[in-house]
Amino acid sequence: MKIKRIVEEALEESKQLLDKGKLADYIPELTKANPRHLGISILSKDGKKFSAGAVKESFTIQSISKVITLLFCLDFFGDEKVFSLVGREPSGTPFSEFITLSDFTDKPKNPFINSGAIALASLLASRMTFEDYLAKSNELFGQGDFKLNQAVYTSELAHSERNHSLAWELKRMKLLSADLETSLDFYTKVCAIEASAENLVDLAFCLANYGKIANKQVFKQRDIATTLSLMLTCGLYDGSGDFAAAVGIPAKSGVGGGILAVVPGRAGLVTFGPALDYNGNSIGGIELLRIISDQLDFHLFLPQAAI
Ligand code: GLN
Protein backbone atom coordinates (compact mmCIF):
# COMPACT_ATOMS: atom_id res chain seq x y z
CA MET A 1 0.00 0.00 0.00
CA LYS A 2 2.77 2.35 0.98
CA ILE A 3 4.50 1.90 -2.39
CA LYS A 4 1.28 2.43 -4.32
CA ARG A 5 0.71 5.77 -2.60
CA ILE A 6 4.34 6.87 -3.09
CA VAL A 7 4.22 6.00 -6.79
CA GLU A 8 0.89 7.76 -7.38
CA GLU A 9 1.99 10.92 -5.57
CA ALA A 10 5.33 10.95 -7.42
CA LEU A 11 3.45 10.64 -10.70
CA GLU A 12 1.25 13.66 -9.97
CA GLU A 13 4.23 15.74 -8.88
CA SER A 14 6.33 14.79 -11.92
CA LYS A 15 3.53 15.68 -14.34
CA GLN A 16 4.10 19.32 -13.45
CA LEU A 17 7.40 19.22 -15.35
CA LEU A 18 5.96 17.89 -18.60
CA ASP A 19 5.37 21.33 -20.14
CA LYS A 20 9.11 21.96 -20.00
CA GLY A 21 9.81 18.94 -22.28
CA LYS A 22 9.58 18.50 -26.02
CA LEU A 23 8.74 15.53 -28.26
CA ALA A 24 11.57 14.20 -30.44
CA ASP A 25 10.88 15.63 -33.89
CA TYR A 26 13.89 14.50 -35.92
CA ILE A 27 11.95 11.25 -36.43
CA PRO A 28 8.68 12.81 -37.73
CA GLU A 29 6.49 9.88 -36.67
CA LEU A 30 7.44 10.43 -33.00
CA THR A 31 5.66 13.82 -32.98
CA LYS A 32 2.37 11.90 -32.93
CA ALA A 33 2.93 10.95 -29.26
CA ASN A 34 0.98 12.67 -26.49
CA PRO A 35 3.45 14.79 -24.46
CA ARG A 36 1.12 14.65 -21.43
CA HIS A 37 1.56 10.90 -21.06
CA LEU A 38 3.54 9.69 -18.06
CA GLY A 39 3.60 6.32 -16.37
CA ILE A 40 5.72 3.87 -14.42
CA SER A 41 5.79 0.14 -13.94
CA ILE A 42 7.82 -1.49 -11.16
CA LEU A 43 8.53 -5.19 -10.67
CA SER A 44 10.05 -5.98 -7.30
CA LYS A 45 12.11 -8.93 -6.12
CA ASP A 46 9.17 -10.65 -4.48
CA GLY A 47 7.28 -10.62 -7.80
CA LYS A 48 5.00 -7.68 -6.93
CA LYS A 49 4.09 -5.32 -9.76
CA PHE A 50 3.12 -1.68 -9.20
CA SER A 51 1.91 0.39 -12.11
CA ALA A 52 0.58 3.92 -12.38
CA GLY A 53 -0.28 6.21 -15.27
CA ALA A 54 0.37 5.50 -18.97
CA VAL A 55 1.80 2.00 -18.61
CA LYS A 56 -0.26 0.34 -21.32
CA GLU A 57 0.59 2.91 -24.00
CA SER A 58 2.90 1.49 -26.68
CA PHE A 59 6.02 3.41 -27.61
CA THR A 60 9.14 2.56 -29.60
CA ILE A 61 12.00 1.50 -27.37
CA GLN A 62 14.61 3.39 -29.46
CA SER A 63 17.90 3.46 -27.54
CA ILE A 64 16.64 1.07 -24.86
CA SER A 65 17.29 -1.53 -27.59
CA LYS A 66 21.00 -0.78 -27.12
CA VAL A 67 20.83 -2.66 -23.80
CA ILE A 68 19.39 -5.76 -25.49
CA THR A 69 21.92 -5.48 -28.32
CA LEU A 70 24.80 -5.24 -25.84
CA LEU A 71 23.52 -8.24 -23.84
CA PHE A 72 23.16 -10.38 -26.98
CA CYS A 73 26.60 -9.32 -28.26
CA LEU A 74 28.31 -10.11 -24.94
CA ASP A 75 26.54 -13.44 -24.85
CA PHE A 76 27.36 -14.49 -28.43
CA PHE A 77 30.76 -12.92 -28.97
CA GLY A 78 32.27 -12.30 -25.51
CA ASP A 79 33.75 -9.29 -23.79
CA GLU A 80 37.01 -9.12 -25.72
CA LYS A 81 35.39 -8.97 -29.16
CA VAL A 82 32.69 -6.49 -28.08
CA PHE A 83 35.14 -4.06 -26.49
CA SER A 84 37.46 -4.25 -29.46
CA LEU A 85 34.63 -2.49 -31.36
CA VAL A 86 33.36 -0.01 -28.73
CA GLY A 87 34.81 1.58 -25.60
CA ARG A 88 33.46 1.82 -22.07
CA GLU A 89 33.76 5.57 -21.54
CA PRO A 90 31.11 8.29 -21.27
CA SER A 91 31.17 10.41 -24.42
CA GLY A 92 30.28 13.77 -22.87
CA THR A 93 28.35 14.45 -26.07
CA PRO A 94 24.84 13.97 -27.54
CA PHE A 95 23.83 10.47 -28.64
CA SER A 96 24.27 11.14 -32.34
CA GLU A 97 27.72 12.65 -31.87
CA PHE A 98 30.15 12.43 -34.75
CA ILE A 99 33.10 14.28 -33.37
CA THR A 100 34.91 11.56 -31.43
CA LEU A 101 34.87 9.28 -34.47
CA SER A 102 37.80 11.22 -35.81
CA ASP A 103 41.26 10.12 -36.85
CA PHE A 104 42.27 10.36 -33.20
CA THR A 105 40.19 7.48 -31.80
CA ASP A 106 40.02 3.89 -32.87
CA LYS A 107 36.38 3.15 -31.89
CA PRO A 108 33.14 4.72 -30.57
CA LYS A 109 33.29 5.76 -26.93
CA ASN A 110 30.59 3.34 -25.69
CA PRO A 111 27.81 1.00 -26.88
CA PHE A 112 25.00 3.45 -26.00
CA ILE A 113 25.80 6.33 -28.35
CA ASN A 114 24.53 5.74 -31.88
CA SER A 115 27.94 5.03 -33.43
CA GLY A 116 28.69 2.35 -30.82
CA ALA A 117 25.23 0.83 -31.14
CA ILE A 118 25.49 0.70 -34.93
CA ALA A 119 28.84 -1.11 -34.64
CA LEU A 120 27.26 -3.69 -32.31
CA ALA A 121 24.08 -3.97 -34.40
CA SER A 122 26.36 -4.74 -37.32
CA LEU A 123 28.10 -7.44 -35.29
CA LEU A 124 24.75 -9.04 -34.44
CA ALA A 125 23.53 -8.66 -38.02
CA SER A 126 26.46 -10.86 -39.07
CA ARG A 127 24.95 -13.62 -36.92
CA MET A 128 21.15 -13.14 -36.85
CA THR A 129 18.29 -11.46 -38.70
CA PHE A 130 16.06 -8.77 -37.20
CA GLU A 131 13.30 -11.40 -37.02
CA ASP A 132 15.59 -13.62 -34.89
CA TYR A 133 16.36 -10.64 -32.61
CA LEU A 134 12.66 -9.84 -32.18
CA ALA A 135 11.76 -13.49 -31.55
CA LYS A 136 14.54 -13.93 -28.97
CA SER A 137 13.63 -10.67 -27.19
CA ASN A 138 9.99 -11.70 -27.12
CA GLU A 139 10.82 -15.15 -25.82
CA LEU A 140 13.04 -13.78 -23.02
CA PHE A 141 11.27 -10.59 -21.94
CA GLY A 142 8.40 -9.56 -24.23
CA GLN A 143 5.98 -12.46 -23.84
CA GLY A 144 5.09 -11.96 -27.50
CA ASP A 145 4.10 -8.31 -27.02
CA PHE A 146 7.18 -6.74 -28.65
CA LYS A 147 6.56 -5.87 -32.31
CA LEU A 148 8.03 -3.75 -35.06
CA ASN A 149 6.39 -0.34 -35.48
CA GLN A 150 6.58 -0.15 -39.25
CA ALA A 151 5.62 3.56 -39.42
CA VAL A 152 8.38 4.65 -37.02
CA TYR A 153 10.92 2.41 -38.75
CA THR A 154 10.09 3.88 -42.18
CA SER A 155 10.02 7.42 -40.78
CA GLU A 156 13.44 7.07 -39.15
CA LEU A 157 15.00 5.41 -42.19
CA ALA A 158 13.83 8.29 -44.37
CA HIS A 159 15.59 10.76 -42.06
CA SER A 160 18.71 8.85 -41.09
CA GLU A 161 21.39 10.96 -42.74
CA ARG A 162 23.34 11.26 -39.48
CA ASN A 163 23.25 7.53 -38.78
CA HIS A 164 24.31 6.91 -42.39
CA SER A 165 27.27 9.24 -41.87
CA LEU A 166 28.20 7.41 -38.69
CA ALA A 167 27.92 4.05 -40.46
CA TRP A 168 30.17 5.24 -43.29
CA GLU A 169 32.73 6.41 -40.77
CA LEU A 170 32.54 3.03 -38.99
CA LYS A 171 33.06 1.31 -42.33
CA ARG A 172 36.14 3.44 -42.96
CA MET A 173 37.43 2.39 -39.53
CA LYS A 174 36.71 -1.28 -40.34
CA LEU A 175 34.27 -1.59 -37.44
CA LEU A 176 31.31 -2.95 -39.41
CA SER A 177 30.86 -6.72 -39.39
CA ALA A 178 27.96 -6.83 -41.88
CA ASP A 179 27.49 -4.63 -44.95
CA LEU A 180 26.53 -1.03 -44.33
CA GLU A 181 22.88 -1.06 -45.43
CA THR A 182 22.17 -4.34 -43.58
CA SER A 183 23.78 -2.91 -40.42
CA LEU A 184 21.77 0.31 -40.54
CA ASP A 185 18.54 -1.47 -41.36
CA PHE A 186 19.04 -3.83 -38.41
CA TYR A 187 19.88 -0.91 -36.07
CA THR A 188 16.87 1.15 -37.21
CA LYS A 189 14.50 -1.80 -36.88
CA VAL A 190 15.57 -2.70 -33.33
CA CYS A 191 15.07 0.96 -32.33
CA ALA A 192 11.54 0.76 -33.77
CA ILE A 193 10.48 -2.19 -31.61
CA GLU A 194 7.30 -1.19 -29.85
CA ALA A 195 6.27 -2.11 -26.31
CA SER A 196 4.55 -0.61 -23.27
CA ALA A 197 6.14 0.12 -19.88
CA GLU A 198 4.37 -2.97 -18.51
CA ASN A 199 5.78 -5.11 -21.36
CA LEU A 200 9.33 -3.85 -20.81
CA VAL A 201 9.54 -4.27 -17.07
CA ASP A 202 10.60 -7.93 -17.39
CA LEU A 203 13.79 -6.78 -19.14
CA ALA A 204 14.50 -4.34 -16.30
CA PHE A 205 13.81 -7.10 -13.79
CA CYS A 206 16.14 -9.56 -15.56
CA LEU A 207 18.94 -7.01 -15.11
CA ALA A 208 17.96 -6.44 -11.46
CA ASN A 209 17.94 -10.21 -10.98
CA TYR A 210 21.57 -10.50 -12.19
CA GLY A 211 20.59 -12.18 -15.48
CA LYS A 212 18.13 -14.75 -14.16
CA ILE A 213 14.67 -15.23 -15.65
CA ALA A 214 12.32 -17.53 -13.70
CA ASN A 215 15.25 -19.00 -11.75
CA LYS A 216 17.24 -19.78 -14.89
CA GLN A 217 20.58 -18.01 -15.41
CA VAL A 218 20.03 -16.69 -18.95
CA PHE A 219 22.88 -14.13 -19.07
CA LYS A 220 26.25 -14.37 -17.34
CA GLN A 221 26.37 -12.38 -14.12
CA ARG A 222 29.58 -10.73 -15.32
CA ASP A 223 27.87 -9.51 -18.50
CA ILE A 224 25.04 -8.05 -16.44
CA ALA A 225 27.59 -6.26 -14.23
CA THR A 226 29.27 -4.79 -17.33
CA THR A 227 25.93 -3.69 -18.80
CA LEU A 228 24.75 -2.08 -15.55
CA SER A 229 28.08 -0.28 -15.11
CA LEU A 230 27.75 1.22 -18.58
CA MET A 231 24.12 2.16 -17.94
CA LEU A 232 25.19 4.00 -14.79
CA THR A 233 28.00 5.90 -16.52
CA CYS A 234 26.65 6.34 -20.07
CA GLY A 235 22.95 5.36 -20.14
CA LEU A 236 21.54 8.90 -20.30
CA TYR A 237 24.22 10.38 -22.59
CA ASP A 238 25.31 13.79 -21.40
CA GLY A 239 22.76 13.61 -18.58
CA SER A 240 24.30 10.46 -17.06
CA GLY A 241 26.28 12.20 -14.33
CA ASP A 242 23.35 14.28 -13.11
CA PHE A 243 21.10 11.22 -13.09
CA ALA A 244 23.68 9.07 -11.27
CA ALA A 245 24.12 11.71 -8.58
CA ALA A 246 20.41 12.45 -8.15
CA VAL A 247 18.82 9.02 -8.66
CA GLY A 248 21.78 6.72 -8.11
CA ILE A 249 20.77 3.68 -10.19
CA PRO A 250 21.70 2.33 -13.66
CA ALA A 251 19.27 3.39 -16.39
CA LYS A 252 18.90 3.59 -20.16
CA SER A 253 16.72 6.09 -21.98
CA GLY A 254 15.26 6.23 -25.50
CA VAL A 255 13.88 9.15 -27.55
CA GLY A 256 10.53 7.36 -27.72
CA GLY A 257 10.17 8.45 -24.07
CA GLY A 258 11.05 5.26 -22.23
CA ILE A 259 13.55 4.85 -19.41
CA LEU A 260 14.61 1.41 -18.22
CA ALA A 261 16.01 1.55 -14.67
CA VAL A 262 17.43 -1.11 -12.39
CA VAL A 263 17.87 -1.40 -8.64
CA PRO A 264 20.25 -4.38 -8.51
CA GLY A 265 18.90 -7.22 -6.42
CA ARG A 266 15.71 -5.32 -5.66
CA ALA A 267 13.57 -4.10 -8.56
CA GLY A 268 13.22 -3.35 -12.26
CA LEU A 269 11.49 -0.13 -13.31
CA VAL A 270 10.27 1.33 -16.59
CA THR A 271 8.94 4.84 -17.04
CA PHE A 272 7.26 6.24 -20.12
CA GLY A 273 6.85 9.94 -20.88
CA PRO A 274 7.62 11.18 -24.41
CA ALA A 275 8.30 14.83 -23.46
CA LEU A 276 12.11 15.00 -23.52
CA ASP A 277 14.75 17.25 -21.98
CA TYR A 278 17.69 18.85 -23.76
CA ASN A 279 19.69 15.59 -23.76
CA GLY A 280 16.83 13.59 -25.30
CA ASN A 281 15.83 11.91 -22.01
CA SER A 282 12.24 11.76 -20.70
CA ILE A 283 11.83 14.81 -18.47
CA GLY A 284 8.91 13.35 -16.50
CA GLY A 285 10.54 9.91 -16.29
CA ILE A 286 13.70 11.32 -14.71
CA GLU A 287 11.71 13.30 -12.15
CA LEU A 288 9.53 10.29 -11.35
CA LEU A 289 12.58 8.07 -10.82
CA ARG A 290 14.26 10.75 -8.72
CA ILE A 291 11.31 11.06 -6.34
CA ILE A 292 10.75 7.30 -6.09
CA SER A 293 14.44 6.62 -5.52
CA ASP A 294 14.41 9.18 -2.76
CA GLN A 295 11.30 7.75 -1.11
CA LEU A 296 12.25 4.08 -1.42
CA ASP A 297 16.00 4.40 -0.75
CA PHE A 298 17.04 3.17 -4.20
CA HIS A 299 20.24 5.26 -4.47
CA LEU A 300 23.08 2.72 -4.58
CA PHE A 301 25.32 4.93 -2.50
CA LEU A 302 22.89 5.56 0.33
CA PRO A 303 21.86 3.05 3.01
CA GLN A 304 18.96 0.94 1.80
CA ALA A 305 15.67 0.06 3.46
CA ALA A 306 13.66 -2.97 2.38
CA ILE A 307 11.26 -2.28 -0.50
N1 GLN B 1 16.80 5.54 -33.23
C1 GLN B 1 17.31 6.70 -32.56
C2 GLN B 1 18.48 7.28 -33.35
O1 GLN B 1 19.23 6.54 -33.94
C3 GLN B 1 17.72 6.34 -31.16
C4 GLN B 1 18.24 7.51 -30.38
C5 GLN B 1 17.83 7.51 -28.94
O2 GLN B 1 16.88 6.87 -28.52
N2 GLN B 1 18.51 8.30 -28.13
O3 GLN B 1 18.66 8.46 -33.39
Side-chain angles (χ1 to χ4, degrees):
M1 268 304 108
K2 182 175 159 239
I3 294 182
K4 193 171 178 302
R5 206 194 62 239
I6 288 172
V7 171
E8 280 165 2
E9 283 176 10
L11 185 67
E12 284 319 303
E13 201 179 325
S14 308
K15 278 188 182 163
Q16 290 167 23
L17 271 188
L18 295 181
D19 288 342
K20 295 203 168 75
K22 219 173 133 288
L23 295 173
D25 56 7
Y26 75 102
I27 301 174
E29 193 66 21
L30 295 184
T31 59
K32 294 186 177 160
N34 179 350
R36 299 294 313 165
H37 273 153
L38 189 62
I40 182 163
S41 198
I42 307 178
L43 186 54
S44 74
K45 194 172 181 256
D46 50 13
K48 288 204 186 100
K49 205 180 223 179
F50 304 92
S51 287
V55 290
K56 294 195 190 299
E57 294 294 324
S58 286
F59 58 93
T60 51
I61 65 174
Q62 298 295 338
S63 287
I64 293 175
S65 65
K66 294 168 182 174
V67 172
I68 303 176
T69 298
L70 176 61
L71 285 172
F72 287 176
C73 280
L74 288 169
D75 199 34
F76 294 159
F77 300 96
D79 211 74
E80 204 176 318
K81 173 69 183 170
V82 169
F83 295 110
S84 71
L85 297 172
V86 298
R88 281 182 292 213
E89 297 301 337
S91 67
T93 57
F95 58 80
S96 58
E97 70 94 19
F98 198 83
I99 212 86
T100 64
L101 274 190
S102 69
D103 289 344
F104 306 107
T105 51
D106 57 353
K107 57 191 173 193
K109 286 278 184 196
N110 66 64
F112 295 153
I113 50 174
N114 287 11
S115 54
I118 295 168
L120 293 192
S122 181
L123 181 62
L124 275 187
S126 72
R127 162 78 76 106
M128 68 188 337
T129 62
F130 166 73
E131 286 68 30
D132 296 335
Y133 181 107
L134 184 63
K136 191 171 162 68
S137 307
N138 254 325
E139 181 196 316
L140 292 173
F141 336 101
Q143 287 158 11
D145 291 324
F146 292 0
K147 27 185 166 325
L148 174 69
N149 182 321
Q150 192 69 38
V152 172
Y153 159 64
T154 314
S155 179
E156 176 158 11
L157 209 56
H159 296 85
S160 65
E161 294 82 2
R162 172 55 74 105
N163 286 340
H164 266 87
S165 307
L166 293 170
W168 274 103
E169 198 59 4
L170 291 167
K171 183 175 160 80
R172 179 188 68 77
M173 296 162 81
K174 304 203 179 347
L175 295 173
L176 290 187
S177 311
D179 75 73
L180 188 140
E181 291 302 333
T182 308
S183 306
L184 265 179
D185 194 67
F186 190 98
Y187 168 81
T188 313
K189 276 190 172 141
V190 301
C191 287
I193 290 176
E194 174 181 277
S196 66
E198 273 195 345
N199 298 149
L200 267 178
V201 81
D202 284 353
L203 167 61
F205 186 73
C206 169
L207 290 158
N209 205 20
Y210 305 107
K212 270 194 189 167
I213 299 175
N215 278 330
K216 190 164 167 253
Q217 194 74 45
V218 177
F219 296 102
K220 292 183 202 75
Q221 286 184 352
R222 194 66 192 83
D223 291 347
I224 298 291
T226 300
T227 303
L228 292 177
S229 305
L230 287 168
M231 286 167 68
L232 186 67
T233 51
C234 318
L236 272 75
Y237 314 109
D238 217 12
S240 302
D242 270 347
F243 186 85
V247 188
I249 53 176
K252 181 74 209 81
S253 62
V255 288
I259 301 180
L260 182 85
V262 178
V263 193
R266 299 173 71 197
L269 300 87
V270 177
T271 61
F272 167 59
L276 307 180
D277 67 10
Y278 173 79
N279 293 308
N281 299 319
S282 169
I283 196 163
I286 290 180
E287 182 64 359
L288 197 44
L289 290 167
R290 188 191 64 75
I291 299 171
I292 289 173
S293 172
D294 216 41
Q295 302 270 324
L296 297 177
D297 303 313
F298 281 167
H299 200 300
L300 294 180
F301 309 119
L302 282 170
Q304 292 169 12
I307 174 174

